[in-house]
Amino acid sequence: DSGVTQTPKHLITATGQRVTLRCSPRSGDLSVYWYQQSLDQGLQFLIQYYNGEERAKGNILERFSAQQFPDLHSELNLSSLELGDSALYFCASSVVGSGGIEQFFGPGTRLTVL
Amino acid sequence: GIQVEQSPPDLILQEGANSTLRCNFSDSVNNLQWFHQNPWGQLINLFYIPSGTKQNGRLSATTVATERYSLLYISSSQTTDSGVYFCAVEITGANSKLTFGKGITLSVRP
């Protein structure tokens, strides 16, 4: 158990809908990362937050947004869902947001868009 | 961007055999991590190893940063070692995102 929690574990929804994925980092970690694992794109970085502020952005679609709250948990919002958004979404956390620090991954949320 | 190549893409072993998984990367890195993705999809941290050698039970890893590669050794493999092994790196001087390789699928047969 990495100490990073994600809810829900599974999510099944329809095209056009909006969903929210939640992540709680390890105790003491200030930085949260979101990654997407899909069959065609592999594992790729979406976005990073550090202590409530956006730190870095990757290949995140405009339909997706995220935030980190004062209690340091984070939410990833996916809207106008398409079939291609079906994927495993991971949250990771690290102590700080700067380089060279180990990231710990949560169990993931499996999203299925029908 | 940085290229992360893992080899071989697939590996089939008999239980008890040893194996070496390789990760090559194209740029200087701050961080290198090895993960095991189990059949349930969970990503398990194996090693944080930007340089040097580490051992954890039957697993060990070596990263030679100057030559831009890392190796993961699995000894006396067990069926529970089956799954996908990922190498992920963080480029020096860039933001702290991890760039993942495509993974190595390991099947250990009883």
Side-chain angles (χ1 to χ4, degrees):
Chain A
D1 185 353
S2 68
V4 180
T5 61
Q6 290 187 246
T7 56
K9 289 184 179 178
H10 303 276
L11 202 46
I12 301 174
T13 188
T15 54
Q17 296 299 305
R18 172 190 170 95
V19 296
T20 298
L21 283 53
R22 182 187 170 103
C23 167
S24 292
R26 295 186 319 155
S27 177
D29 283 2
L30 299 178
S31 194
V32 168
Y33 310 77
W34 287 96
Y35 292 85
Q36 178 196 58
Q37 185 178 27
S38 62
L39 283 175
D40 54 346
Q41 298 289 330
L43 263 159
Q44 58 176 359
F45 168 75
L46 295 179
I47 197 164
Q48 178 200 0
Y49 279 82
Y50 174 71
N51 205 20
E53 300 290 325
E54 183 184 304
R55 176 63 65 92
K57 245 180 181 178
N59 299 324
I60 187 166
L61 299 172
E62 286 191 9
R63 300 183 286 108
F64 296 1
S65 65
Q67 54 184 327
Q68 186 179 26
F69 295 86
D71 67 352
L72 300 177
H73 91 270
S74 178
E75 294 181 355
L76 179 66
N77 300 296
L78 315 177
S79 61
S80 304
L81 286 168
E82 302 175 359
L83 296 177
D85 297 328
S86 295
L88 197 47
Y89 291 84
F90 288 103
C91 168
S93 74
S94 65
V95 172
V96 295
S98 54
I101 303 299
E102 186 173 8
Q103 295 181 26
F104 295 87
F105 280 69
T109 293
R110 189 175 296 277
L111 174 66
T112 303
V113 182
L114 301 176
Chain B
I2 190 168
Q3 303 299 313
V4 183
E5 296 180 356
Q6 294 186 246
S7 59
D10 301 282
L11 195 52
I12 300 174
L13 298 176
Q14 207 65 33
E15 199 168 26
N18 302 328
S19 62
T20 300
L21 286 59
R22 187 176 182 101
C23 173
N24 291 335
F25 44 95
S26 60
D27 210 335
S28 175
V29 299
N30 265 347
N31 177 10
L32 187 145
Q33 293 184 238
W34 282 97
F35 298 89
H36 174 214
Q37 188 166 37
N38 63 24
W40 296 271
Q42 291 182 318
L43 274 177
I44 311 300
N45 284 44
L46 296 178
F47 292 102
Y48 164 72
I49 188 163
S51 64
T53 298
K54 289 185 178 179
Q55 178 151 12
N56 184 3
R58 296 181 296 104
L59 302 182
S60 63
T62 294
T63 297
V64 183
T66 53
E67 297 188 20
R68 299 184 181 169
Y69 73 89
S70 183
L71 301 174
L72 176 68
Y73 305 97
I74 304 175
S75 64
S76 304
S77 58
Q78 300 175 358
T79 56
T80 51
D81 294 331
S82 296
V84 184
Y85 289 80
F86 289 99
C87 165
V89 303
E90 173 198 326
I91 304 172
T92 301
N95 64 47
S96 46
K97 73 170 187 177
L98 289 176
T99 299
F100 284 78
K102 292 185 178 180
I104 296 170
T105 301
L106 174 64
S107 299
V108 181
R109 296 180 173 171

